[in-house]
Amino acid sequence: MADTGTREGLRLAIQEAGYYPDLVADMLETSLAGEAVDSYVVHHEPHFDRDELRRHVSVLVLTPTRLIVGHTDEYPSDDTHDVPYATTSTEAVPLDRVTSVVVSRTVTSPAAYRTGTPALDVVLTVGWGAMSRIDLEPATCGDPECEADHGYTGALTSDDFTLRVSEAGDGVGRVRDLLTFARALSAATISVR
């Protein structure tokens, strides 16, 4: 759920996700350090890992000065833990460090698209330089007969965080919420440049 943001709204969205709400809220409070909440999105992602259900929650919080990215994962008992356990982490990124906000959406019948038509899915990718991905491919000279080795060419992409929501899996409201958050984050990064 996205909101143009209150701390109470964030807490309610965490409660509604139903995934260790006190743990997730405490994790965020540590990183928020008393700063106001401008916008947020909470995304609960259950998935199957072999024969068991595993859950994960991602929370993005926009403050006046930072982007807070939080993750919580649960694990079954193992050799080091006698009972199931969870790990939780946050990263606080100053807004002036955000280098890219990429919003991709998929729509049906693009010729009939009208402003406000809901998207089938939305992917938000945010980069701030902590992680990059390089995609390489063999370079060519354009001559189909050439057998020379031209080395490699590629692209370096900042890819620190990606979140996808879909109408089919998450509902129209969650797609709209992610677009609302993406709009707020994009606006916030304009003002710090």
Side-chain angles (χ1 to χ4, degrees):
M1 173 183 275
D3 188 338
T4 52
T6 64
R7 205 175 216 89
E8 297 78 28
L10 174 59
R11 180 66 184 209
L12 180 60
I14 292 168
Q15 290 285 346
E16 287 176 359
Y19 180 76
Y20 305 124
D22 290 333
L23 176 63
V24 173
D26 280 352
M27 163 195 65
L28 290 169
E29 281 301 323
T30 299
S31 291
L32 284 169
E35 197 170 14
V37 172
D38 287 344
S39 187
Y40 60 82
V41 66
V42 177
H43 185 62
H44 180 216
E45 305 171 67
H47 63 278
F48 285 98
D49 183 10
R50 296 192 180 110
D51 60 345
E52 62 183 281
L53 177 65
R54 298 270 304 274
R55 299 184 299 164
H56 172 87
V57 69
S58 297
V59 182
L60 300 173
V61 181
L62 180 62
T63 75
T65 63
R66 298 175 299 149
L67 169 65
I68 311 278
V69 180
H71 299 282
T72 302
D73 289 286
E74 68 179 352
Y75 300 94
S77 58
D78 58 25
D79 294 341
T80 59
H81 298 87
D82 293 339
V83 296
Y85 63 101
T87 61
T88 185
S89 63
T90 56
E91 184 170 359
V93 181
L95 288 175
D96 64 355
R97 294 280 315 274
V98 174
T99 56
S100 64
V101 178
V102 180
V103 183
S104 301
R105 58 177 103 189
T106 303
V107 298
T108 58
S109 305
Y113 180 85
R114 298 292 174 256
T115 300
T117 301
L120 289 178
D121 66 37
V122 173
V123 178
L124 171 65
T125 302
V126 183
W128 55 88
M131 294 174 44
S132 296
R133 180 183 75 237
I134 188 164
D135 296 316
L136 294 175
E137 62 184 43
T140 63
C141 66
D143 179 359
E145 302 296 319
C146 181
E147 294 182 15
D149 182 356
H150 295 286
Y152 288 89
T153 186
L156 181 63
T157 308
S158 178
D159 192 17
D160 294 307
F161 180 82
T162 299
L163 178 64
R164 177 186 180 267
V165 296
S166 69
E167 177 186 343
D170 305 295
V172 173
R174 298 289 184 215
V175 171
R176 185 177 48 249
D177 291 344
L178 186 56
L179 285 170
T180 299
F181 181 83
R183 188 175 300 114
L185 179 58
S186 293
T189 58
I190 290 170
S191 64
V192 295
R193 298 277 178 232

